[in-house]
Amino acid sequence: MNIFSILVASIAVLVVVIVLMHFGGRPSAKQSAKNSQKNKAKLVRDAARKLKQDPHNVAALKEMSNFYYEEHNWEKAYPLYNSLLDLTEIHPELDKFLISVRQGKTALKLNKLEDSFRGLVKAYQLNPNDYDVCYNLGIACYQNNDFAKAIPCLRKALTLRPESTDAYGPIGSALYKTGKFKESIKFLRKALDEHPENKENLFNLADAMYESGYGEKAMKVFLHLRADPKFGPQSCLLAGKIHMSTKSYEKAIQDFEIGLRHQDTPEETLVNLRYMLASCYFAINAMGKGLEQLKKIQIVAPAYKDVPALIAKYSELNQNSNLQIYLSASTSDYVALCRKIVVAFYPNSFVKIADVSVTPENCEIQCSVDTSKWEDNELFRFYRTTGSTGELYVRDFHSKVKDMKVDKGICITAGHFSEEAHKYIEGRPLDLIEKDKLIKILKKVDSIA
């Protein structure tokens, strides 16, 4: 072998050796991670051993708390940061701000709300312009239902880091829950852009729009949420209220009935759904169905709103169709009934109606009455109210009777007249007909008229 061949062979061997040393001596990324994990585990074991000997060993506490915090092992990190936070008072070399933040965050992660304030408030006092502090303190206040305090913290967090999308939902909901509906809308919309699947934010947005006067937009969301197990009952309730406001009673009834089909509905919502459903049935003169809902309410909440009074009122109406017409029918049906009442008022006589006038307050009918013994011109005034009619209304009617020069005035109400009104008619050509007597007349109307 000549010198040249030997030289070439030697260079080749050298290259192979260098390559093997290069690749064989450098661990892979997987191996490096494994080694790093082993090193950390060893440090933790050493720290644990030191803490067993001395629970207040600052270096060991720092080592272990950092390890568990980076691993997101909040349950193990939390008690360590709790201990470190106590030690900051006697160990000024400790990073009090960092420890306070982490103690608060780990407590918050474990839903230890009261204890989270211990660290987060201290951290805020040390540095009120740190995003992490402001955000987490705002979340702690929000979860503690202290929405008024959550709002400024979350506002500050957004000012410090405008691109932070995590703060949109909490600040929007906090504004919504404190009645700042219009202001909450923009934040809730941004939160839904990031997390469109969040039903709570969606419901809050719809309700905020409803409260802000955007009923049509809110309605679309409520209809979408009607089937949701959690937010469906309340969405049905609000959708029904919007339909009721436009007198779309059949649609409102559908909303309330869907709401009642949900399982595990809170009792307050359930009662409210039944009350509104009853109101719709009464609006379409389905008295029996309305009473059925009120009686179900009475079983679980006997004193709810005016349920006892409504049951009494509509039970009576349900038994007297003419009284239903008198109190709640259309104007044309009501006036037609008033004409029948005038005719029925004097049986076995000839009654001729001369004039009918209707105002939002009352209906007046002028007529002549011819009996075998006397003849009169009379004026009837009808009130649909079920409450008390006072002296001023009777005085006004008396003035009308005098102006029209009729012989007598008869004032009728579905409620009652005040004591002063009764005293006023003494010695005057006026009669006052109250509910009890009106009902008796109404029972005879169809047979006489």
Side-chain angles (χ1 to χ4, degrees), residues 359-405:
T359 69
E361 289 76 30
N362 57 64
C363 169
E364 288 184 347
I365 297 178
Q366 183 183 359
C367 65
S368 61
V369 182
D370 189 359
T371 72
S372 58
K373 296 181 180 180
W374 53 267
E375 294 180 15
D376 258 349
N377 286 316
E378 299 190 358
L379 180 65
F380 285 75
R381 176 180 282 189
F382 297 88
Y383 287 108
R384 300 182 90 171
T385 178
T386 56
S388 175
T389 301
E391 179 190 349
L392 289 176
Y393 293 93
V394 177
R395 282 180 178 272
D396 175 73
F397 181 51
H398 183 233
S399 297
K400 189 75 173 285
V401 168
K402 288 196 296 184
D403 291 344
M404 294 181 68
K405 295 182 171 56

Side-chain angles (χ1 to χ4, degrees), residues 4-5 42 71 87 125 135 157 161 187 204 209-210 216 265 271 282 288 345 369 372-373 394 411 427 430 432 439 445:
F4 179 76
S5 298
K42 183 178 182 304
E71 294 290 313
L87 292 171
Q125 290 168 349
Y135 173 77
R161 195 179 293 176
F187 292 107
N204 290 349
M209 291 191 295
Y210 169 68
E216 190 174 335
T265 303
V271 168
F282 295 142
F345 199 81
V369 182
S372 58
K373 296 181 180 180
V394 177
C411 195
L430 298 175
L432 301 181
I439 289 174
V445 159

Side-chain angles (χ1 to χ4, degrees), residues 115-132:
D115 208 30
S116 71
F117 290 112
R118 181 170 168 248
L120 292 172
V121 170
K122 281 185 180 179
Y124 188 84
Q125 290 168 349
L126 292 167
N127 184 1
N129 294 313
D130 181 85
Y131 168 81
D132 223 18

